[in-house]
């Protein structure tokens, strides 16, 4: 399975990996998949979480410094030019 990273103008890559991991864990938690529920993950769940995490990392790379997006920025949809994660 692959997830395509959203295209952005890269300003700084500091924090991209941490932002990806935080986005992944956030999405899994929001969908009720953390803790004892990991065994319920489907390939679609994994793809959704990874796509969300890739968007978080992309937004982090589009600004200087390790400055990941806030939840409200993720909810803005494509106002920032990035596709909104499904769901």
């Amino acid at each position: 399975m692959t997830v395509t990273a959203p295209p952005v103008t890269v300003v700084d890559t500091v924090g991209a990996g941490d932002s990806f991991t935080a986005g992944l864990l956030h999405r899994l938690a929001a969908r009720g998949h953390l803790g004892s529920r990991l065994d319920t993950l489907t390939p679609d769940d994994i793809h959704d979480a990874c796509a969300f995490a890739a968007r978080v990392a992309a937004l982090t790379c589009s600004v200087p410094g390790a400055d990941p997006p806030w939840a409200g920025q993720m909810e803005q949809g494509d106002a920032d030019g990035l596709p909104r994660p499904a769901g």
Side-chain angles (χ1 to χ4, degrees):
M1 172 185 314
T2 61
V3 173
T4 302
V8 294
T9 299
V10 175
V11 174
D12 192 343
T13 61
V14 173
D18 291 338
S19 295
F20 180 91
T21 301
L24 181 71
L25 292 172
H26 171 81
R27 190 64 159 197
L28 290 173
R31 303 286 193 211
H33 293 297
L34 288 186
S36 63
R37 305 267 337 241
L38 284 176
D39 61 337
T40 65
L41 284 172
T42 67
D44 286 340
D45 294 329
I46 296 167
H47 186 271
D48 172 69
C50 288
F52 184 86
R55 186 169 181 271
V56 172
L59 287 170
T60 301
C61 290
S62 69
V63 297
D67 189 12
W70 292 84
Q73 291 171 292
M74 295 302 294
E75 295 166 2
Q76 289 176 354
D78 63 357
D80 51 24
L82 296 177
R84 183 175 183 179

